[in-house]
Amino acid sequence: MRIPYSSPGALPAARAVPHYASDFAGAITALSNFLTISSSGQNAVPSSTVILSGAGLSVASGLADYRGQNGTYTQNTTYRPIFYEEFCRNHEARKRYWARSFLGWTTLDKSKPNAAHWAVKALGDIGIVKEVVTQNVDSFHSIAHPNIPTVELHGYLRSVRCLSCHRHFPRTDFQQSLSSLNPSWATFLAGVLLSGALHTENPQDRLAKGLKTNPDGDVDLPDAPYSTFRYPPCPSCHANPPKDENGLRSRIDVDADGAWIAGNTAGVLKPAVVMFGESIPNDVKLAAENAVDNSGRLLVIGSSLATYSAWRLVMRAKERGKPIGILNLGGVRGEEAFVDYMNEDSRQDGSTGVRAEQRADVLLPELVKKLQIGLRKLPEIRESSTAAAGSQRRSNCVA
């Protein structure tokens, strides 16, 4: 289950492991050792490395994170994400959610993978990273490196899914439907875009223009008339209403413009993300666990591990004695325990554990350069990596 852990003050300060990983050059050296020195101490590419990424990885793409310096829980202390049960049962809550998502979608839609995502691709190309588990819902991993299998732990925003028939529909098409049903909101959005309020990555600049931006494509307008917003029903269920558990046809009526109305019993569309309070699908949960179990080591990038679904995966790696690396600005949940675990090895060269506090989009490209130079002595590994790269597409991502 996706459970929020919202107090940034509850997270301890970051501690460097090894001690020289406290600066940029030392962090690169430590992570290079982590990824290329086996447990026996010999230079080699581990059999596999799995990356667990979080919202911090996408900050350089212009998206908000939760607990960073400019994160939602840091800048907007009153922020409360919508919960799954609230979305499912409350028509007014859905109006509010889709209105905010309508405004926020433009930022996500125009955003692109940043240097950190492309560095992950490069790590896959040279045979180091074999799989990614991400908490992010922006699809940037599958765009940047479709040949690296990616488990999308919390789903994705590129689609909406019907709660009744479970069919998926493109989010871009849904955005057009929202625009058609809400012409005044569409006009307002056009004005916001012209003002540049959604073009700046600075939360203070956006707040000055009356906007509060949050993760997962959400924009808050204080005192906005959310009750006026309308959203469409599932087109498939509207055309052919499904039967309920009693064998009776569900009610799916629309207003004169085609919007879902109160009193309906089916056909609700939700984003294809795992909302807070919602259970992660079993196949996704198992895929994430298998990715950890089948890896040689785990590297966490841009995550405070505050959500239980991510933290448990790192604990799983720890319980199995796997080397763990953490690259994140700010502390992480369980910082002390993970640092103590990393410090158990007497070599202190980073091969069995790294804790570094650097920007991923700056550090990872430089780390790749260092590794590419070092791995020129291992041509058979590069050839193997090239041969393994096929024509797999985004469909390889576990949804």
Side-chain angles (χ1 to χ4, degrees), residues 11-71:
L11 296 174
R15 290 172 52 190
V17 178
H19 65 88
Y20 60 79
S22 58
D23 61 33
F24 188 81
I28 290 179
T29 298
L31 283 167
S32 177
N33 291 341
F34 176 77
L35 294 172
T36 60
I37 297 180
S38 68
S39 58
S40 62
Q42 299 174 340
N43 285 314
V45 176
S47 58
S48 64
T49 298
V50 62
I51 284 177
L52 172 61
S53 69
L57 190 71
S58 293
V59 169
S61 295
L63 304 184
D65 65 352
Y66 284 98
R67 299 166 185 84
Q69 183 178 358
N70 291 321

Side-chain angles (χ1 to χ4, degrees), residues 155-269:
Y156 42 83
L157 282 172
R158 62 181 178 267
S159 298
V160 293
R161 179 177 66 86
C162 178
L163 291 175
S164 302
C165 70
H166 308 297
R167 287 184 173 87
H168 284 239
F169 304 92
R171 180 62 177 80
T172 50
D173 294 350
F174 187 71
Q175 183 77 0
Q176 290 299 317
S177 296
L178 294 178
S179 183
S180 298
L181 288 172
N182 302 279
S184 61
W185 282 82
T187 300
F188 174 78
L189 176 58
V192 169
L193 292 172
L194 284 175
S195 75
L198 292 176
H199 297 159
T200 174
E201 299 175 14
N202 189 307
Q204 281 76 29
D205 291 345
R206 290 186 175 182
L207 188 60
K209 297 178 184 291
L211 302 177
K212 290 182 179 180
T213 54
N214 304 308
D216 296 0
D218 176 270
V219 171
D220 184 17
L221 287 172
D223 302 319
Y226 293 122
S227 63
T228 67
F229 200 82
R230 298 183 295 172
Y231 57 89
C234 166
S236 179
C237 289
H238 182 232
N240 184 24
K243 293 182 179 180
D244 61 21
E245 62 271 15
N246 298 317
L248 301 176
R249 287 287 179 186
S250 298
R251 175 186 170 185
I252 307 178
D253 294 330
V254 296
D255 66 13
D257 297 317
W260 197 96
I261 62 175
N264 286 340
T265 58
V268 171
L269 293 169

Side-chain angles (χ1 to χ4, degrees), residues 31-172:
L31 283 167
S32 177
N33 291 341
F34 176 77
L35 294 172
T36 60
I37 297 180
S38 68
S39 58
S40 62
Q42 299 174 340
N43 285 314
V45 176
S47 58
S48 64
T49 298
V50 62
I51 284 177
L52 172 61
S53 69
L57 190 71
S58 293
V59 169
S61 295
L63 304 184
D65 65 352
Y66 284 98
R67 299 166 185 84
Q69 183 178 358
N70 291 321
T72 292
Y73 287 133
T74 305
Q75 297 292 326
N76 183 4
T77 56
T78 62
Y79 172 69
R80 176 188 174 277
I82 191 169
F83 278 68
Y84 176 68
E85 288 299 325
E86 180 184 9
F87 182 93
C88 291
R89 71 172 185 265
N90 192 319
H91 179 43
E92 293 300 318
R94 289 194 293 271
K95 287 183 181 182
R96 179 177 180 271
Y97 175 87
W98 284 125
R100 293 165 59 139
S101 177
F102 174 70
L103 299 176
W105 172 252
T106 54
T107 298
L108 178 61
D109 194 39
K110 71 180 179 61
S111 298
K112 300 177 180 179
N114 62 60
H117 296 97
W118 297 113
V120 172
K121 176 187 183 299
L123 291 173
D125 289 344
I126 60 180
I128 290 178
V129 171
K130 299 298 178 66
E131 196 160 3
V132 171
V133 178
T134 184
Q135 302 169 75
N136 299 340
V137 296
D138 50 38
S139 300
F140 288 163
H141 279 293
S142 53
I143 293 171
H145 49 75
N147 291 326
I148 303 177
T150 300
V151 180
E152 294 175 297
L153 193 63
H154 295 155
Y156 42 83
L157 282 172
R158 62 181 178 267
S159 298
V160 293
R161 179 177 66 86
C162 178
L163 291 175
S164 302
C165 70
H166 308 297
R167 287 184 173 87
H168 284 239
F169 304 92
R171 180 62 177 80
T172 50

Side-chain angles (χ1 to χ4, degrees), residues 234-306:
C234 166
S236 179
C237 289
H238 182 232
N240 184 24
K243 293 182 179 180
D244 61 21
E245 62 271 15
N246 298 317
L248 301 176
R249 287 287 179 186
S250 298
R251 175 186 170 185
I252 307 178
D253 294 330
V254 296
D255 66 13
D257 297 317
W260 197 96
I261 62 175
N264 286 340
T265 58
V268 171
L269 293 169
K270 78 174 281 289
V273 299
V274 177
M275 290 181 161
F276 286 107
E278 182 178 2
S279 296
I280 295 172
N282 284 334
D283 60 333
V284 176
K285 179 181 176 181
L286 289 174
E289 292 174 350
N290 288 337
V292 172
D293 293 349
N294 296 331
S295 70
R297 55 197 64 208
L298 171 66
L299 176 59
V300 178
I301 304 175
S303 175
S304 63
L305 306 177

